[in-house]
Amino acid sequence: MSLDWTFIADSLPLYLDAMWLTVELALIAIIVSMIIGLLFSLVLFYRIKYLSGFIVGYVELSRNTPLLVQLFFLYYGLPKIGLHLSEFDCAAIGLVFLGGSYMTEAFRSGIEAVSSSQLESGLSIGLSKVQLVRYVILPQAFAISIPSLGANAIFLLKETSIVGAIALMDLMNVAKDLIGMSYKTAESLILLVLAYLVLVLPLSLVLTWLERRVRHAEFGG
Amino acid sequence: MSENTEILLEVENLQKFFGDRHVLNGISLQVKRGEVTVILGPSGCGKSTLLRCLNGLEPVQGGTIHYLGQNLTGEHVNWREIRQHIGMVFQNYELFPHMTVIENILLGPLKAQKRDSKEALQQAETLLDRVGLLARKNDYPRQLSGGQKQRIAIVRALCMNPDIILFDEVTASLDPEMVREVLDVILGLANQGMTMLIVTHEMGFARSVGDRIVFMDQGKICEIADPEQFFTEPATERAQQFLNIFEYNKL
């Protein structure tokens, strides 16, 4: 079987557009969900009344429903109550809704891994609870959390592959359309896999490097 | 030394429970300025818990603690403020692993006390020099031995200019050859008139550093005595039994 290189060359712009969409969605999802995760994990740490309960409920709802269902809810459900969001907004909100809970859990486990005697040590020099979090807990928790934060980032990047379900022209949708219209299945799929590799591999490598660096700085020899 | 009669800490009928266990049962104790009080007793007698109560790390269920007349057992105690005056050194050092030695020492003075950074740095370096570790100021805790870490932890407490320092079994995690370097630092502080409460299992050290010995058992103070008196002729049978455990030559 030989590949149709003209077809590949002609399809490239479509894939590049879709890659850009994927990058945009993934960046929003990763950055916003990390901010949410950090804030929510602190609310859980401080055991803030009512808010903590709300967050526990959110985490369970978000982690125990598929992203596809969440997207359908946003895209087809919300208009029923008069709220019309664009496809892109729905996808971004859906990914953030999903990622926020995973990031919350990643930060929470890091915070909980900082030993209680470290907290007492910080208290014993008169630090306030906010200072304790900022200077003692978060730097240590962040180093512990980096592997799971990184795994979540990659997970979110890959999860963008289902936003085609709400009519966005992402990589999956482009490949599906090209196969449907031209029957160039092999070419379309090869481009699809390569496109994801080009996106995910660098992120993966950067995260591995970051993980090593932080480990070395904090606890290494 | 005429003002040395000022009472810094006054504990009265302190009660502490862990669930059903009565860990502190009616502890009463006065600590005067400049006094070195060594607390001895078998494991689980409540001596560490007592120290932790004095620093607000454990809530108490009864009795009172007064620091310079201020009640520490009432509502709304400003522990942030109190802990700047009552320092604590822990058994496992508890230096912050992500900070250098000097950052560890300056965190409290700069962030909790909001002191001038130049002045605090100068004091930190003077203190580091005094414990012989000035050259290690930019090292991380992981690069130091246990004895060095504990000396840094003492400097960290000292740099807050506390009125009292609580020492909670600070040599218990150390290799034998490192115990001495830490005890020497504490002995030096005693000679400078630092007020200290020391929980330890080092009997020889207790005898030489203590102005008085507080012997505890099962959550109560059994006796308070002058060190010479305590180690030669303890008043209670319980203390006698306790001391016999350390007399290996009688085996």
Side-chain angles (χ1 to χ4, degrees):
Chain A
M1 183 188 82
S2 65
L3 294 174
D4 181 345
W5 292 100
T6 324
F7 172 81
I8 288 180
D10 289 347
S11 316
L12 264 181
L14 286 173
Y15 276 92
L16 287 176
D17 280 351
M19 278 171 82
W20 179 239
L21 175 73
T22 297
V23 168
E24 270 184 305
L25 277 175
L27 274 181
I28 293 173
I30 291 167
I31 293 169
V32 179
S33 65
M34 275 183 76
I35 294 170
I36 287 178
L38 181 60
L39 291 177
F40 282 12
S41 64
L42 288 177
V43 170
L44 293 177
F45 172 75
Y46 285 121
R47 294 173 208 273
I48 297 173
K49 248 190 218 164
Y50 310 119
L51 269 182
S52 289
F54 164 78
I55 287 170
V56 170
Y58 154 69
V59 167
E60 292 308 323
L61 179 66
S62 156
R63 296 208 306 170
N64 294 309
T65 50
L67 177 59
L68 192 57
V69 172
Q70 295 165 7
L71 289 178
F72 269 44
F73 179 86
L74 290 167
Y75 191 62
Y76 297 111
L78 287 185
K80 295 279 168 212
I81 56 166
L83 198 57
H84 295 271
L85 298 171
S86 72
E87 291 86 356
F88 185 87
D89 290 349
C90 282
I93 292 171
L95 284 163
V96 166
F97 182 82
L98 177 75
S101 62
Y102 279 85
M103 295 297 188
T104 302
E105 285 297 282
F107 277 114
R108 188 189 57 79
S109 62
I111 288 173
E112 282 178 4
V114 178
S115 70
S116 61
S117 46
Q118 278 282 306
L119 309 193
E120 291 180 347
S121 174
L123 290 176
S124 80
I125 52 170
L127 296 182
S128 68
K129 225 175 167 187
V130 171
Q131 290 173 329
L132 189 68
V133 164
R134 177 158 162 214
Y135 300 113
V136 177
I137 299 176
L138 278 186
Q140 297 186 60
F142 191 64
I144 298 168
S145 297
I146 276 195
S148 38
L149 292 174
N152 290 345
I154 292 173
F155 164 70
L156 285 174
L157 176 53
K158 292 193 289 191
E159 280 297 286
T160 58
S161 60
I162 68 163
V163 299
I166 54 170
L168 276 168
M169 274 316 254
D170 78 317
L171 284 164
M172 281 298 286
N173 233 359
V174 166
K176 215 165 65 185
D177 271 11
L178 286 175
I179 293 169
M181 293 186 299
S182 65
Y183 300 108
K184 303 280 185 193
T185 309
E187 289 83 349
S188 303
L189 288 180
I190 287 170
L191 281 172
L192 178 63
V193 171
L194 283 178
Y196 272 112
L197 276 181
V198 166
L199 291 177
V200 181
L201 257 185
L203 179 63
S204 216
L205 292 174
V206 165
L207 287 169
T208 311
W209 171 80
L210 187 68
E211 192 180 323
R212 271 211 209 114
R213 237 186 89 96
V214 171
R215 275 286 147 97
H216 180 80
E218 302 269 320
F219 310 110
Chain B
M1 295 275 233
S2 57
E3 74 231 308
N4 274 4
T5 47
E6 183 187 12
I7 292 170
L8 284 182
L9 264 184
E10 187 159 26
V11 180
E12 247 174 295
N13 193 29
L14 201 65
Q15 306 286 339
K16 167 80 190 167
F17 292 86
F18 284 131
D20 287 341
R21 260 186 56 212
H22 205 163
V23 199
L24 295 177
N25 183 0
I27 300 287
S28 297
L29 187 67
Q30 283 188 347
V31 179
K32 294 182 187 130
R33 192 181 285 281
E35 193 174 35
V36 179
T37 306
V38 178
I39 305 172
L40 300 177
S43 294
C45 72
K47 51 195 191 303
S48 286
T49 307
L50 174 59
L51 285 198
R52 292 168 57 79
C53 290
L54 299 180
N55 203 323
L57 294 177
E58 296 284 352
V60 297
Q61 279 78 47
T64 58
I65 303 169
H66 282 90
Y67 163 71
L68 286 174
Q70 189 182 346
N71 186 5
L72 305 187
T73 39
E75 301 270 304
H76 310 299
V77 178
N78 184 357
W79 278 109
R80 275 189 67 192
E81 170 73 18
I82 298 297
R83 287 178 182 131
Q84 294 172 27
H85 303 292
I86 307 181
M88 183 138 181
V89 183
F90 299 87
Q91 178 176 339
N92 291 314
Y93 339 119
E94 297 304 339
L95 297 176
F96 307 121
H98 57 293
M99 293 182 189
T100 62
V101 165
I102 197 77
E103 288 169 343
N104 262 281
I105 297 168
L106 289 178
L107 185 62
L110 296 186
K111 302 302 174 191
Q113 296 182 317
K114 311 241 181 270
R115 277 158 58 188
D116 175 62
S117 61
K118 237 187 214 162
E119 171 266 327
L121 178 65
Q122 198 173 13
Q123 187 190 4
E125 290 186 339
T126 308
L127 290 169
L128 272 176
D129 193 32
R130 206 188 298 165
V131 300
L133 289 171
L134 184 54
R136 311 302 299 269
K137 70 172 181 173
N138 292 318
D139 287 354
Y140 282 89
R142 62 168 188 270
Q143 296 166 295
L144 305 173
S145 72
Q148 289 170 332
K149 278 187 240 190
Q150 197 57 292
R151 282 185 281 160
I152 300 294
I154 293 172
V155 168
R156 184 173 66 175
L158 274 176
C159 206
M160 305 285 294
N161 295 317
D163 280 333
I164 308 173
I165 302 186
L166 313 173
F167 291 88
D168 187 9
E169 304 202 30
V170 294
T171 58
S173 301
L174 295 177
D175 291 338
E177 72 266 29
M178 290 171 184
V179 169
R180 184 69 199 221
E181 65 191 49
V182 172
L183 295 186
D184 278 343
V185 171
I186 302 175
L187 206 56
L189 292 177
N191 292 334
Q192 287 162 32
M194 188 75 210
T195 314
M196 300 187 279
L197 261 88
I198 302 172
V199 166
T200 184
H201 287 291
E202 302 285 337
M203 293 302 142
F205 175 66
R207 190 169 180 167
S208 59
V209 78
D211 290 320
R212 59 186 182 144
I213 305 288
V214 172
F215 177 72
M216 286 179 64
D217 190 28
Q218 298 185 340
K220 293 179 180 166
I221 292 179
C222 295
E223 74 178 272
I224 299 180
D226 171 82
E228 279 314 302
Q229 170 83 29
F230 181 80
F231 283 103
T232 49
E233 280 179 89
T236 56
E237 200 178 324
R238 190 65 197 85
Q240 180 65 58
Q241 285 171 352
F242 175 75
L243 288 172
N244 281 344
I245 297 169
F246 294 91
E247 301 267 338
Y248 299 108
N249 52 358
K250 280 189 185 167
L251 282 174

